[in-house]
Amino acid sequence: MTKTSILNQVKDQYKYALIITNPFIQMPQGWYNNKKYAYPTNEEIIEYGKPVLWSQILKLTELEDLKSLALAMKTYISALNKFYARSDLMEKLKQGLQEDVYLPNEDKISQFLIPTIIEVFKSKGMTKIQYTEPIFDTSDEILVDDITIQNFYEMAPSEIIVTDETNETAFLSVYDSFITLMLTNNINTKEKILSAGWEAIECNEDTMINWYLK
């Protein structure tokens, strides 16, 4: 794992960084019992899902803090090796999680965050955004007015980097994780995310991408 902090890795381009926790997904009561498949589709999440913040999940699971919850989630999807995996935390998560509440999609920017991200770009007067899919090294752009939650979410199958025309602000999904990383040079952009009510960890010079390790 990298030993360089997030801000030190991007210091030549960005001043501020936020680790935004992707919300859990609350589906309507009885969803689990009425469906034959284990996880709701993207379309179903957009239409019927409601966000559940990590802080609310902590109360349900008796997990200590966001770091413990991140470790539990990453253990659940087998994203940690045996030295870091915490099956005890994973069991607390499984036992406390309500039946119709689902983990966020891994590797993706949350559907619930997308309207706020679109608003960030619009508020800066941007007419288009650029996106890169790092696994296949492909990139493209889309007009801001043409963006919907659905097509934004489907711009890449997994990891994605989304930036404005000036590269002043970027949003990144993170492999095998349940976070969205925001990088920016504009303090007002950072404040817009926080004021929208999303949970976020403000990165300092010591904050690592594996911030959940104690």
Side-chain angles (χ1 to χ4, degrees):
M1 293 187 179
T2 180
K3 295 183 179 181
T4 306
S5 72
I6 294 170
L7 284 175
N8 279 331
Q9 290 183 61
V10 300
K11 62 183 178 182
D12 293 335
Q13 191 166 2
Y14 296 108
K15 296 178 182 177
Y16 309 103
L18 287 179
I19 295 171
I20 308 169
T21 59
N22 292 342
F24 282 66
I25 301 159
Q26 172 73 66
M27 298 302 287
Q29 187 175 4
W31 185 271
Y32 180 83
N33 289 329
N34 292 332
K35 296 292 180 177
K36 295 181 180 179
Y37 44 88
Y39 199 88
T41 66
N42 179 47
E43 293 83 0
E44 290 169 338
I45 293 170
I46 292 171
E47 185 169 357
Y48 302 110
K50 296 184 182 301
V52 182
L53 299 180
W54 288 26
S55 56
Q56 295 170 268
I57 299 298
L58 291 180
K59 295 175 183 177
L60 295 173
T61 58
E62 298 183 355
L63 289 165
E64 181 180 350
D65 52 26
L66 297 183
K67 292 181 178 181
S68 298
L69 180 50
L71 283 170
M73 295 163 72
K74 289 176 74 70
T75 301
Y76 190 90
I77 63 168
S78 302
L80 297 172
N81 65 37
K82 63 181 181 180
F83 299 107
Y84 297 108
R86 291 288 304 272
S87 57
D88 57 326
L89 300 180
M90 179 186 70
E91 288 303 319
K92 280 189 175 183
L93 174 62
K94 290 168 65 177
Q95 291 171 15
L97 207 59
Q98 295 175 347
E99 193 169 70
D100 296 311
V101 177
Y102 296 83
L103 268 66
N105 294 99
E106 60 196 86
D107 307 341
K108 303 280 283 186
I109 294 174
S110 169
Q111 296 95 335
F112 301 122
L113 298 178
I114 292 171
T116 303
I117 293 172
I118 295 172
E119 181 56 35
V120 164
F121 290 134
K122 283 185 174 181
S123 70
K124 297 169 65 179
M126 297 299 160
T127 59
K128 60 185 177 182
I129 63 169
Q130 301 165 338
Y131 61 93
T132 301
E133 201 284 306
I135 293 179
F136 298 103
D137 194 26
T138 58
S139 60
D140 206 341
E141 60 184 34
I142 184 171
L143 294 175
V144 171
D145 288 339
D146 291 340
I147 300 173
T148 64
I149 299 175
Q150 182 78 24
N151 64 22
F152 186 111
Y153 191 80
E154 294 176 348
M155 287 191 299
S158 55
E159 291 178 88
I160 192 171
I161 302 169
V162 181
T163 65
D164 57 30
E165 299 168 72
T166 63
N167 284 323
E168 183 185 69
T169 299
F171 292 89
L172 299 79
S173 60
V174 180
Y175 179 69
D176 271 354
S177 292
F178 302 92
I179 61 169
T180 297
L181 181 63
M182 190 202 77
L183 306 171
T184 188
N185 285 317
N186 189 329
I187 193 168
N188 292 328
T189 301
K190 182 188 76 168
E191 295 304 323
K192 185 177 285 289
I193 294 294
L194 296 174
S195 64
W198 301 119
E199 287 176 325
I201 299 165
E202 295 193 56
C203 298
N204 58 35
E205 293 297 330
D206 298 320
T207 307
M208 314 287 273
I209 197 63
N210 53 347
W211 56 277
Y212 45 84
L213 296 180
K214 299 182 178 181

